[in-house]
Amino acid sequence: MHHRKVARDSAGRLWRTPVASLMTWAVMGVALALPVALLLLLTSLQGVSAGWESSARVTAYMDLDASLEQTRKLASEIASDGRVAELELVDRDRALAEFRASSGLDDALDYLEENPLPHTLLITPEENARSANGVAALVTFIESMDRVERVQVDLGWLQRLNAMTDLLARAVWALAILLAVAVVLVIGNTVRLSIESRRDEILVAKLVGGTDGFVRRPFLYTGAWFGLGGGIVAWVLLQLSLWWLNGPVERLAGLYRSNFSLNGLSIDGALVLIIAAMLLGWLGAWVAVKRHLSDIEPGEIAGG
């Protein structure tokens, strides 16, 4: 009963000071929305990078004197490796025909006495092997095979992409931790002011035998209500930002023929955000109460 009474009373006190409460909620909302927005952007980028990684196809060129039968035997051996999802053999006659059709050099190619192109193996790595390290290991394996002249794959862009993604992820988490600390400090300072304004009430409660837990409870609920409001404000800011940016992002992605899109918070994600905000508010209130409540003792009345 006391918990319900204190929770209602704490909420009522916030509503009776709407300007101060809204300012605190706005500060919390901005501090919470920024790292969550960056995390959502990182998730969207990782989804696109997964599609780019799937295009990291390995091309193996055979020796010019390797026969088609030898190439087929080697292709069967490579395809049996668990890291290979798909393998396509392009024989030298097909490769020359495709080059003739795409290059427009029919007259020049007619002067060639023999086909200068080798048999080629187009190898698509398995999904689990599409990272930079996985593709590098597969390339090393293919290069060790007999009759393989050269293996080609562009790992540079994939390694740079993974490095940038990791850097962005660490930066986002560092920012999230710093802003979470800032939220705790903001709530702590707000609750400290509330403690000072209710100093006489706390002194009377302690004088009649109120325990620290009894006196602490209203301020903890105040911190939780601040967190609830801040979480809701953060969710509203995220939804408005997504609505505002979604149209230009889709048009830009369409110009590059990309399926990139910004992902918003799901219902579960919104609940996690609000619960995390309430916990941060509760933690900030607890820190403030722990630090300042012990300084208020009934002896001050006697001393006064």
Side-chain angles (χ1 to χ4, degrees):
M1 291 178 62
H2 186 254
H3 276 281
R4 289 196 296 268
K5 180 179 181 302
V6 168
R8 288 194 299 267
D9 181 68
S10 299
R13 288 178 181 272
L14 295 184
W15 284 115
R16 286 193 290 271
T17 55
V19 175
S21 299
L22 286 174
M23 290 179 64
T24 303
W25 286 334
V27 170
M28 285 191 65
V30 172
L32 293 169
L34 183 58
V36 174
L38 292 176
L39 285 174
L40 292 174
L41 176 62
L42 179 61
T43 302
S44 300
L45 290 176
Q46 287 175 339
V48 174
S49 66
W52 289 342
E53 288 181 357
S54 65
S55 64
R57 190 168 60 177
V58 179
T59 303
Y61 299 98
M62 305 296 294
D63 290 335
L64 285 176
D65 58 349
S67 65
L68 183 58
E69 185 62 30
Q70 291 173 328
T71 304
R72 286 174 177 168
K73 182 178 179 181
L74 182 64
S76 177
E77 185 177 349
I78 295 175
S80 63
D81 190 275
R83 294 168 294 183
V84 176
E86 183 180 348
L87 188 146
E88 180 183 0
L89 191 157
V90 180
D91 62 75
R92 56 195 308 180
D93 294 334
R94 173 187 163 189
L96 182 61
E98 291 178 352
F99 180 71
R100 183 187 295 272
S102 61
S103 66
L105 300 175
D106 291 351
D107 295 338
L109 294 175
D110 289 338
Y111 289 99
L112 296 176
E113 296 181 358
E114 60 180 12
N115 188 345
L117 300 178
H119 299 304
T120 306
L121 301 177
L122 304 179
I123 303 153
T124 303
E126 187 65 38
E127 184 175 356
N128 296 331
R130 287 174 186 171
S131 63
N133 293 333
V135 174
L138 183 60
V139 168
T140 302
F141 166 72
I142 297 172
E143 286 177 338
S144 65
M145 310 293 287
D146 293 336
R147 295 292 188 175
V148 175
E149 175 68 22
R150 184 164 62 94
V151 179
Q152 181 177 350
V153 61
D154 186 8
L155 287 177
W157 65 269
L158 191 55
Q159 292 169 341
R160 289 190 294 271
L161 176 64
N162 289 337
M164 288 189 293
T165 303
D166 292 341
L167 177 61
L168 180 60
R170 294 195 180 194
V172 168
W173 281 112
L175 179 63
I177 292 173
L178 291 175
L179 290 177
V181 173
V183 167
V184 170
L185 294 177
V186 168
I187 296 300
N189 185 66
T190 304
V191 172
R192 181 186 66 81
L193 295 176
S194 179
I195 291 173
E196 292 297 329
S197 66
R198 299 171 64 180
R199 191 180 190 90
D200 293 340
E201 180 183 339
I202 295 171
L203 285 171
V204 172
K206 285 192 172 185
L207 189 63
V208 298
T211 63
D212 286 343
F214 180 88
V215 177
R216 184 188 304 123
R217 195 169 297 154
F219 301 104
L220 296 181
Y221 274 106
T222 298
W225 289 128
F226 274 129
L228 175 63
I232 294 174
V233 170
W235 178 78
V236 172
L237 290 176
L238 288 171
Q239 294 299 110
L240 290 176
S241 300
L242 181 65
W243 169 77
W244 188 52
L245 294 174
N246 201 39
V249 167
E250 287 183 354
R251 288 194 293 271
L252 181 61
L255 293 175
Y256 285 95
R257 297 182 180 180
S258 171
N259 58 354
F260 176 78
S261 62
L262 294 175
N263 298 322
L265 275 180
S266 62
I267 296 177
D268 294 340
L271 289 176
V272 170
L273 171 62
I274 292 175
I275 292 174
M278 293 182 69
L279 290 175
L280 288 175
W282 180 90
L283 178 61
W286 183 85
V287 170
V289 171
K290 187 72 173 177
R291 181 177 178 182
H292 299 286
L293 199 60
S294 59
D295 297 336
I296 303 176
E297 294 297 336
E300 295 182 13
I301 296 179

